[in-house]
Amino acid sequence: AQKVTQAQTEISVVEKEDVTLDCVYETRDTTYYLFWYKQPPSGELVFLIRRNSFDEQNEISGRYSWNFQKSTSSFNFTITASQVVDSAVYFCALSEDGYGNKLVFGAGTILRVKS
Amino acid sequence: NAGVTQTPKFRILKIGQSMTLQCAQDMNHNYMYWYRQDPGMGLKLIYYSVGAGITDKGEVPNGYNVSRSTTEDFPLRLELAAPSQTSVYFCASSYSLEGPYGYTFGSGTRLTVV
């Protein structure tokens, strides 16, 4: 069965620090999708990224970057020059099918960015 | 705006009462889901549907029922509410084929059973 582990329960940083959120996954499938979602204090779930298992290229979007390594079954998320608005719970998720459906979520990492 | 609409946003139930959480999407998505999020925890799948008339259990289905009579609607029914069902419930939808954005989530329903 698929499993997602986010070992960091909570991380606190000072504004402008870089921070990496770890995600390790388990699956027997060769085709799968990985996701990151952000849940700000308001409670909604905000989609950040979706990655296909065949695409191991790192991705950068502004201050966000993602490092996908199949060899270590990891899909880590780095925020560069963190800001207070980045304070949220971040979830990593893995699809249970080959199309990106039926997501299995990690327990989440609480990120607190202090000014 | 297109998306997933959940109602109500908040509800307090007494033990043993029943209620239906409504979920509607206007994106013509095949897949719809119900998740629950307990405090400090990730989301766990309750039920999902791959299309109208087809539903299946997720990880934590006990105490819930669903139906999918149309592509747009996927209500979640709680029968005989229990304190263990106090949670935030999220409805979501997605395409069955590859799409650009993956899931779309509703804004959630915060349910308290007392």
Side-chain angles (χ1 to χ4, degrees):
Chain A
Q2 281 82 350
K3 183 179 178 182
V4 176
T5 301
Q6 295 180 255
Q8 303 150 308
T9 304
E10 185 170 337
I11 302 175
S12 289
V13 299
V14 177
E15 214 171 11
K16 298 184 183 178
E17 283 186 18
D18 298 347
V19 58
T20 296
L21 310 182
D22 297 332
C23 174
V24 174
Y25 63 92
E26 296 175 26
T27 181
R28 293 182 181 178
D29 296 333
T30 56
T31 302
Y32 51 89
Y33 286 83
L34 293 161
F35 297 76
W36 276 94
Y37 280 87
K38 174 182 179 180
Q39 188 175 44
S42 52
E44 75 271 23
L45 286 153
V46 179
F47 168 82
L48 295 178
I49 191 172
R50 185 184 79 160
R51 218 52 208 268
N52 182 302
S53 57
F54 295 111
D55 183 0
E56 287 194 72
Q57 282 191 344
N58 291 335
E59 181 155 341
I60 298 174
S61 177
R63 295 184 297 107
Y64 295 170
S65 62
W66 291 269
N67 181 279
F68 177 28
Q69 292 194 347
K70 288 179 75 171
S71 60
T72 57
S73 297
S74 64
F75 186 43
N76 296 336
F77 173 32
T78 297
I79 302 174
T80 303
S82 59
Q83 300 176 1
V84 173
V85 293
D86 295 327
S87 297
V89 183
Y90 290 87
F91 292 100
C92 181
L94 168 69
S95 64
E96 284 197 19
D97 70 8
Y99 300 103
N101 299 298
K102 283 189 66 183
L103 299 189
V104 174
F105 285 81
T109 296
I110 300 170
L111 176 64
R112 302 189 195 280
V113 182
K114 302 174 184 177
S115 58
Chain B
N1 290 338
V4 177
T5 303
Q6 286 184 242
T7 55
K9 293 191 184 301
F10 303 94
R11 183 71 185 268
I12 298 175
L13 277 183
K14 294 184 178 179
I15 294 172
Q17 286 185 322
S18 300
M19 76 163 294
T20 299
L21 280 65
Q22 301 292 343
C23 176
Q25 53 94 5
D26 58 3
M27 298 170 286
N28 203 31
H29 281 175
N30 299 68
Y31 279 63
M32 294 188 75
Y33 315 82
W34 276 105
Y35 285 87
R36 59 177 286 172
Q37 183 182 22
D38 298 329
M41 305 289 286
L43 282 72
K44 295 193 174 181
L45 184 63
I46 304 171
Y47 270 96
Y48 69 101
S49 169
V50 303
I54 306 170
T55 63
D56 207 348
K57 296 177 180 179
E59 183 182 356
V60 290
N62 291 344
Y64 308 94
N65 276 301
V66 293
S67 60
R68 183 98 181 268
S69 57
T70 66
T71 300
E72 294 77 20
D73 300 300
F74 190 43
L76 177 71
R77 177 85 177 159
L78 279 71
E79 305 282 1
L80 299 175
S84 60
Q85 293 177 304
T86 294
S87 190
V88 179
Y89 292 83
F90 287 98
C91 180
S93 69
S94 69
Y95 277 115
S96 62
L97 299 178
E98 189 164 332
Y101 301 116
Y103 271 40
T104 301
F105 280 92
S107 57
T109 296
R110 186 174 297 273
L111 176 68
T112 303
V113 181
V114 297

